[in-house]
Amino acid sequence: MRALGIILAGGNSNKLGDLSAKRAVAAMPITGGYRAIDFALSNMTNSHIQKVAVFTQYNTRSLNEHLNSSKWWDFGRKQGGLYIFTPTITAANSYWYKGTADALYQNINFLKESHEPYVVIASGDGIYKMDYNKLLEEHISKGADITIACKDIAPEEDDINRFGVLKMDTDGRIIDFEEKPLVAGTNTASIGVYVIRRRQLIELLETCANEGRNDFVKDILVRYKSVKKIYGYKIDTYWRNIGTVDSYYKANMDFLKKDVRNYFFRQHPDIYSKVEDLPPAKYNDGAVVNNSLIASGCIINGTVENSVLFKKVYVGDNCIIRNSIILNDVHIGDNSVIENCIVESRDTLRANTVYQGTPDEIKIVSEKNFRYAL
Amino acid sequence: MELNYARRGDFMIKKEMIAMLLAGGQGSRLGVLTSNLAKPAVAFGGKYKIIDFPLSNCINSGVDTVGVLTQYRPLRLNQHIGIGIPWDLDRNIGGVTVLPPYEKSNNSEWYTGTANAIYQNLEFIDYYNPDYVLILSGDHIYKMDYEHMLEYHKSCNADITLATYEVPWEEASRFGVVIADDNGVISEFEEKPANPRSNKASMGIYIFSWKVLREALVALKDQPECDFGKHVIPYCHGNGKKVCAYDFKGYWKDVGTLGSYWEANMELVDIIPEFNLYEEFWKIYTKSDAIPPQYIDASGKVSRCIIGEGTEIYGDVENSVIGSCVTIGEGAVIRNSIIMNGVTIGDGAVIDKAIIAENVEVGKNAHLGVGEEAVNEMKPAVYAFGLVTIGENSVIPDGVSIGKNTAIYGKTEPSDYPDGALKSGGSIIKAGE
């Protein structure tokens, strides 16, 4: 128990469009059975971090529902546990979280009353596996003040300019750090995972608050880059942020590749999620399924190709679903065609309708039809 | 904590009805499927185990205290049940308790019969101070609201209520049947009658008023192999206790033989199965570690089947029930079969009408279920129905062919198959006792 965990899951992302209208990015369903935050939570528990705090404020219902029991990630313990910090009105303040640093500062007693020497901070919207202990060991051996996990992003994978971009010297010390630059100097992006000594973090947060600054990245990492010893820790394993429609679509489609599935699903350690007790997926006569992921509780009567179907999707007779993502509990009426779309969860699509996006512009479908009036 | 409640006097533990689930039987008619585990722990319907059905019925009926009586090979059952989390049966007071036989200062014995097992756990039942005790067995597939049955029991002013099921007349002679009047009051019992006078078969589900059951169990404590059907119910009936029949109309399947087990699984792939797992209001819960979605490759084909989480299909699956985390290789063909969790089927294997238990590895191009039927030489009554039955963790080498009415258990080598084949009616048992 050398470290406690913090997951920053407060954010909205306008770039996710309508998909984030009803949930925080960290609560986005991913690859059929999971939610984005499961990856950070599972990494924490698999790294033997037993005490984890989730900071959230935007549209928290969906996330709260997902986190309504801590047992799925094995946090229901006497030693440690899962804490959820939403903004609250106190005698001292009545603000929403004004930024990530402010969110931590408003709950600084949690940090002060803990006894773990280190803090691992992760964001709730990354899809990856990581042993945070390795990051921590690197942090200790370098004698760093802060260590930032990072990854080289190839242009075809994602747009580097939407991340924090770092430049390291040969020893790994960060010599430049720019947040969402117009022109990136390197292709090394911060993946939003940091290690810092708990007392150091408290000190920085208090200074920050006194100066009226609120953002962890801009006001601490970038501002202190030449004052503190900030190191980078490069990973070369799978990592993807799902903050845009394009990257969200790609992240889901990545799991159609065998090596990605093997890495996440059939290689220790596992990713955990809330278990929903759904029956096995059912394929009736007329089901034609090619290169697709199907979650439990689905009933398939039509054609599904190169697609990801989340839990409890019903596909009617003679439907054709191609290159699409259908989120949880969607009912698709007979003879419908869906191509290059993301269909919002709990939606009902009427029979004989056609929805088509293009590979370059994925269409987000959100009909809000009343299911039983069909 | 419980001790404090008992001593404080302001609170007395009281449950209206608790369930006692008999899960100690081997189920030897399931052959190699139960070589190493009790029948209630056998997989069913892809991801479930047989015991999930009575346990889910309990919690869905509001029965939150369940004693599970185990005896034969309980390890897998214990691992599955744990502290009852999947069924919400982890409770401060009540919940699920596994009750194995235990040593006493004298007269230590195994559970010698169904009623004897309950007798040995009088203390457990007394602790919860129930008015009624529900006796269940762990080997039936059904959804039943026990609360409804209890209401019936109360409205009849019955001392004992038996759940009964109308079976086809021609099959009635295989069951214990009851003869009841229009009010449901039972006047006579017949055990496997040659000329049945009734087709109401007892389902082995009883509600007893606890006082009546307790008195009977104590009175019959020296009865060897004390059994509900043979001793307790006739004893109570003979003493003038009111025994009523509760007519159950839903789906109910005894999966006691490989044939009925296979059939019940196959019914799940019907377009709208009579036993519907997809109903929201009566969920079946199970301990499930697998969360990933299943993957159907471009080379795969699926029709009329149900498939569990994390399974990868590269071959052709038709009319089958497939569990979780299974891999079906390219060019493999699976028809009319049950494949349990964690099985690997090699490329090009052809499997017809087989039951393949957990974590079996079937080699490439192996053919299962070929040729004409022949009577099984080892256990003709068990390995019938034209099925190939393979026990858990078995290995089938590449390229062998296996006939019908066969059984395999253990890591088999090519040398176990003369001419690369196991003929219909043959068996290879290399594991177990």
Side-chain angles (χ1 to χ4, degrees), chain A residues 32-35 72 273-282 294-299 309-313 327-330 346, chain B residues 44-48 52-53 56 86 276-294 306-310 322-324:
Chain A
Y34 302 86
R35 301 252 176 190
W72 313 117
S273 187
K274 184 175 174 176
V275 174
E276 293 197 47
D277 295 282
L278 293 167
K282 186 163 186 288
I294 313 285
S296 47
C298 287
I299 300 180
L309 270 56
F310 287 63
K311 297 170 189 172
K312 276 171 68 180
V313 172
L327 299 185
N328 295 312
D329 192 18
V330 170
R346 295 180 222 300
Chain B
F44 184 87
K47 64 187 286 192
Y48 304 99
D52 291 333
F53 297 91
S56 300
N276 192 343
L277 295 166
Y278 297 78
E279 289 167 337
E280 274 296 310
F281 69 95
W282 204 267
K283 267 193 185 177
I284 304 299
Y285 300 96
T286 188
K287 178 178 157 68
S288 158
D289 305 323
I291 302 160
Q294 55 201 262
I306 60 174
I307 300 178
E309 288 96 339
I322 315 286
S324 298

Side-chain angles (χ1 to χ4, degrees), chain A residues 31-34 71-72 255-258 261-262 264-266 270-299 301 308-309 311-312 317, chain B residues 45-48 85-86 88 90 268-273 277-278 280 283-289 291-312 314 322 325-327:
Chain A
T31 182
Y34 302 86
K71 65 185 168 194
W72 313 117
F255 284 81
L256 295 177
K257 297 175 196 146
K258 189 168 190 171
R261 282 200 312 279
N262 279 349
F264 279 102
F265 300 157
R266 293 198 167 192
D270 287 338
I271 304 297
Y272 308 100
S273 187
K274 184 175 174 176
V275 174
E276 293 197 47
D277 295 282
L278 293 167
K282 186 163 186 288
Y283 301 86
N284 293 326
D285 287 328
V288 178
V289 185
N290 271 331
N291 189 35
S292 294
L293 284 163
I294 313 285
S296 47
C298 287
I299 300 180
N301 296 293
V308 180
L309 270 56
K311 297 170 189 172
K312 276 171 68 180
D317 293 340
Chain B
K47 64 187 286 192
Y48 304 99
I85 288 176
D88 253 354
D90 52 324
L268 294 174
V269 306
D270 287 345
I271 176 86
I272 296 175
L277 295 166
Y278 297 78
E280 274 296 310
K283 267 193 185 177
I284 304 299
Y285 300 96
T286 188
K287 178 178 157 68
S288 158
D289 305 323
I291 302 160
Q294 55 201 262
Y295 176 73
I296 318 288
D297 190 69
S299 64
K301 242 174 92 183
V302 283
S303 78
R304 285 176 61 81
C305 55
I306 60 174
I307 300 178
E309 288 96 339
T311 285
E312 306 230 329
Y314 298 89
I322 315 286
C325 299
V326 172
T327 307

